[in-house]
């Protein structure tokens, strides 16, 4: 199970999610523009528009809304691919599209009617970031807004999109981008400036603008889909042969899918022999098993396990050792997902706060703390997230991250190891947490890149502890991990 398939419920996926929204987010959008509107004969753009509305009005997650909507409306094949490209593309590029639209409209675009704004974003996305011919993009937008809001806004939508079409994306960037290098790169690759600053810090400073440009570009592209073979059940070679994919470059369990389509429908996934999981997550689970420990190595603990992607791999690997894994999650629905994902493995699932749960102290040989984080390393998978996250989200999370890492160390026996991981490269959530907790507790931070020697270029700048994976370097999410030994 990838982090992308995670039903959002933790802190990682979106700003201040309200629990009661989870159900609504996972279903197709309803309401004014819901099922009763007249069809336009353009199911792909209608689905994309409904997704943008749900994201804007309900703070929904595009990667949950759209698939549900495609299923419900039985949209498949080319229409499904087009709906996905347009909806996710418009969400990803929202800041850039809004800047261009703002230059074409003589009033603040925030004040526009919601349907009109969504239609304009969708139209601008097609004009600037796809190969759809301009007349087709503008015509489709006009028909869409006519079907949703009547004929009144059609002239306005037509006129604004014609202005957008006067320049290419590159020419708009030339006109509108901030003049400083970092601001320009952020604008060019449709990222908020603060996130570009965080990436620059994680890469070692603003001097390295070529690498920052590559990082932002890779983060703006759709991610590849990887499967993880369940250790002991099927090899990556067999899985690749069955699925027509390719063995992943680094993970011995990984398969890169080369064909489109719903990976959940593949036979090995349906039969529980493989899960959809980014190669970076596979490498973090693998890393957690790498540092040698003296003596027994059969009691493992996954303190933040939901929805269970890494718990499946750890459970399968500890089974081979004849051991057991305790898996904890605070959110009951995510703990249930861990139970489902690890069925048949020697895994006991506990629901509760990892900081308080009555688990044995100083008892585990290996512990994984895959902490809730901003998810800035998996923005490729959450199309709208980069515009929803705020710099302040980090402060709230780092206190929890430190407490969870401390809780992990308390449960570890002397000589045992704890792997701390985030799917964020934000230095405050990664090396800073590890350095502070190691100093407080006396834990030894191990040379983590040396534990994963087959993956190149994982070291952090200035000798900071841990490994950092990157989409532009490794083709994975930007996962961070560090291994500590309890003294
Ligand atoms: C990054 S996700 C874990 C992903 C998981 N390891 C996987 O590979 O599928 C973080 C998880 O921590 C859980 N969580 C947050 N605070 C927690 C706490 N205090 N105790 C236990 N779990 C917590 C969230 O519910 C979320 O499921």
């Amino acid at each position: 199970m990838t982090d992308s398939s995670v039903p959002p419920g933790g802190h990682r996926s979106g700003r201040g999610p309200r629990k009661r929204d989870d159900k609504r987010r996972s279903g197709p959008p309803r309401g004014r523009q819901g099922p009763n509107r007249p069809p336009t004969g353009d199911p792909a753009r209608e689905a994309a528009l409904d997704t943008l509305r749900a994201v804007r009005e309900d703070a929904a997650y595009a990667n949950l809304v759209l698939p549900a909507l495609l299923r419900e409306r039985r949209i498949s094949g080319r229409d499904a691919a087009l709906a996905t490209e347009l909806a996710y593309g418009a969400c990803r590029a929202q800041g850039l599209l809004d800047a261009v639209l703002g230059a074409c409209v003589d009033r603040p675009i925030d004040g526009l009617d919601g349907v009109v704004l969504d239609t304009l974003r969708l139209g601008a996305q097609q004009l600037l970031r796809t190969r759809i011919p301009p007349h087709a993009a503008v015509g489709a937008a006009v028909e869409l807004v006519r079907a949703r809001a009547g004929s009144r806004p059609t002239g306005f939508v037509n006129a604004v999109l014609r202005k957008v079409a006067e320049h290419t994306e590159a020419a708009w960037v030339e006109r509108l981008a901030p003049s400083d290098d970092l601001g320009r790169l952020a604008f060019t690759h449709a990222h908020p400036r603060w996130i570009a600053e965080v990436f620059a810090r994680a890469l070692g400073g603003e001097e390295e603008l070529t690498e920052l440009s590559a990082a932002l570009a890779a983060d703006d592209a759709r991610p590849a889909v990887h499967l993880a073979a369940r250790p002991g059940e099927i090899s990556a070679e067999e899985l690749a042969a069955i699925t027509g994919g390719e063995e992943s470059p680094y993970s011995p369990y990984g398969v890169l899918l080369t064909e489109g389509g719903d990976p959940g429908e593949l036979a090995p996934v349906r039969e529980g022999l493989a899960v959809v999981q980014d190669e970076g997550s596979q490498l973090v689970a693998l890393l957690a098993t790498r540092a040698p420990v003296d003596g027994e190595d059969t009691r493992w603990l996954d303190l933040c396990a939901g929805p269970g992607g890494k718990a499946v791999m750890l459970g399968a690997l500890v089974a081979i050792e004849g051991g057991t894994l305790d898996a904890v999650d605070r959110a009951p629905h995510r703990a249930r997902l861990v139970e489902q994902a690890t069925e048949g493995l020697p895994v006991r699932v506990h629901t509760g706060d990892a900081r308080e749960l009555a688990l044995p102290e100083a008892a585990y040989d290996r512990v994984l703390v895959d902490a809730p984080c901003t998810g800035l390393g998996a923005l490729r998978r959450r199309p709208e997230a980069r515009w929803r996250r705020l710099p302040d989200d980090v402060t709230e999370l780092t206190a929890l991250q430190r407490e969870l890492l401390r809780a992990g160390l308390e449960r570890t026996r002397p000589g045992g190891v704890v792997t701390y991981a985030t799917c964020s490269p934000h230095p405050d959530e990664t090396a800073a947490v590890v350095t502070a907790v190691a100093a407080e507790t006396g834990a030894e931070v191990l040379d983590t890149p040396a534990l994963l020697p087959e993956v190149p270029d994982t070291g952090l700048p200035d000798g900071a502890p841990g490994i950092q994976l990157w989409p532009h370097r490794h083709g994975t999410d930007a996962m961070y991990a560090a291994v500590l030994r309890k003294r």
Side-chain angles (χ1 to χ4, degrees), residues 163-485:
K163 275 196 195 166
V164 172
E166 282 172 12
H167 304 289
T168 62
E169 180 187 12
W172 278 116
V173 167
E174 203 55 47
R175 284 166 174 249
L176 299 175
S179 56
D180 67 297
D181 287 338
L182 188 131
R184 185 184 172 79
L185 281 182
F187 190 86
T188 305
H189 298 296
H191 280 70
R193 185 188 177 91
W194 76 272
I195 293 181
E197 281 166 356
V198 167
F199 280 25
R201 263 180 73 199
L203 287 165
E206 289 185 18
E207 309 80 49
E208 235 329 321
L209 288 176
T210 314
E211 182 160 16
L212 177 61
S213 179
L216 293 172
D219 199 50
D220 202 27
R222 283 187 73 188
V225 180
H226 289 93
L227 298 182
R230 195 188 261 213
E233 297 281 351
I234 187 172
S235 70
E237 192 182 359
E238 290 165 322
L239 185 60
I242 295 170
T243 58
E246 290 165 10
E247 287 181 62
S248 299
Y250 308 117
S251 165
Y253 309 109
V255 168
L256 168 70
L257 291 183
T258 45
E259 309 268 309
D262 180 357
E265 289 302 312
L266 293 167
V269 177
R270 275 191 285 123
E271 289 161 17
L273 297 175
V275 292
V276 181
Q277 186 179 45
D278 180 65
E279 194 181 10
S281 295
Q282 298 178 36
L283 292 172
V284 167
L286 194 64
L287 175 70
T289 70
R290 282 277 173 91
V293 294
D294 285 338
E296 281 283 297
D297 188 11
T298 51
R299 287 187 87 178
W300 295 6
L301 172 65
D302 181 351
L303 262 196
C304 298
K310 296 180 192 73
V312 172
M313 189 173 291
L314 293 178
L317 290 170
V318 83
I320 295 168
E321 301 292 320
T324 56
L325 174 75
D326 283 314
V328 177
D329 205 280
R330 180 165 67 177
H333 68 286
R334 289 166 81 84
R336 271 195 300 280
L337 291 173
V338 182
E339 265 164 12
Q340 288 162 13
T342 58
E343 212 186 311
L345 293 171
V347 178
R348 278 187 300 259
V349 179
H350 310 261
T351 307
D353 190 320
R355 295 166 294 181
E356 293 157 11
L357 207 65
L359 288 167
E361 297 283 316
Y364 291 91
D365 304 313
R366 278 179 206 280
V367 177
L368 173 64
V369 179
D370 189 15
C373 69
T374 55
L376 293 187
L379 293 176
R380 307 183 297 166
R381 302 183 186 282
R382 305 203 176 82
E384 71 293 328
R386 69 183 76 169
W387 305 108
R388 207 175 265 167
R389 275 281 175 215
L390 295 173
D392 284 352
D393 296 344
V394 179
T395 325
E396 185 190 316
L397 283 162
T398 52
L400 174 62
Q401 289 160 348
R402 287 178 192 209
E403 286 168 20
L404 287 167
L405 178 51
R406 266 184 233 124
L409 282 160
E410 279 160 19
R411 269 51 187 262
T412 308
R413 62 143 167 113
V417 290
V418 177
T419 300
Y420 171 81
T422 59
C423 69
S424 166
H426 195 311
D428 294 356
E429 298 184 272
T430 60
V433 170
V434 171
T435 305
V437 175
E440 249 173 57
T441 59
E444 177 195 5
V445 185
L446 302 187
D447 178 358
T448 309
L451 295 170
L452 214 54
E454 66 273 42
V455 188
D457 296 327
T458 57
L460 274 73
D462 304 323
I467 59 159
Q468 181 62 60
L469 301 173
W470 287 101
H472 67 288
R473 286 189 196 169
H474 308 103
T476 63
D477 288 343
M479 305 283 307
Y480 169 86
V483 184
L484 301 92
R485 189 181 302 282

Side-chain angles (χ1 to χ4, degrees), residues 47-67:
L49 191 69
D50 285 330
T51 304
L52 295 197
R53 184 196 63 72
V55 167
R56 180 179 46 74
E57 279 186 5
D58 306 337
Y61 297 89
N63 67 341
L64 294 185
V65 170
L66 182 66

Side-chain angles (χ1 to χ4, degrees), residues 31-170:
R32 192 154 57 88
Q33 283 87 39
N36 296 331
R37 68 196 183 272
T40 60
D42 190 349
R45 287 184 181 80
E46 287 192 29
L49 191 69
D50 285 330
T51 304
L52 295 197
R53 184 196 63 72
V55 167
R56 180 179 46 74
E57 279 186 5
D58 306 337
Y61 297 89
N63 67 341
L64 294 185
V65 170
L66 182 66
L69 218 151
L70 296 177
R71 263 196 311 277
E72 189 197 73
R73 296 183 190 174
R74 295 173 203 273
I75 300 173
S76 59
R78 288 174 63 171
D79 279 338
L82 178 62
T84 306
E85 181 186 0
L86 299 187
Y88 291 0
C91 286
R92 277 199 192 97
Q94 187 181 302
L96 173 66
L97 300 177
D98 285 1
V100 173
L101 291 169
C104 298
V105 177
D106 55 7
R107 61 193 121 123
I109 61 165
D110 288 355
L112 295 175
D113 173 75
V115 180
V116 172
L117 178 58
D118 294 338
T119 309
L120 288 174
R121 284 174 173 163
L122 210 53
Q125 155 71 7
Q126 291 167 70
L127 290 168
L128 302 178
R129 301 196 122 204
T130 71
R131 293 183 181 175
I132 294 170
H135 68 271
V138 177
V142 168
E143 288 318 307
L144 215 49
V145 84
R146 191 196 308 282
R148 299 298 171 93
S151 54
R152 225 160 68 104
T154 54
F156 175 74
V157 165
N158 184 45
V160 173
L161 290 180
R162 278 176 186 280
K163 275 196 195 166
V164 172
E166 282 172 12
H167 304 289
T168 62
E169 180 187 12

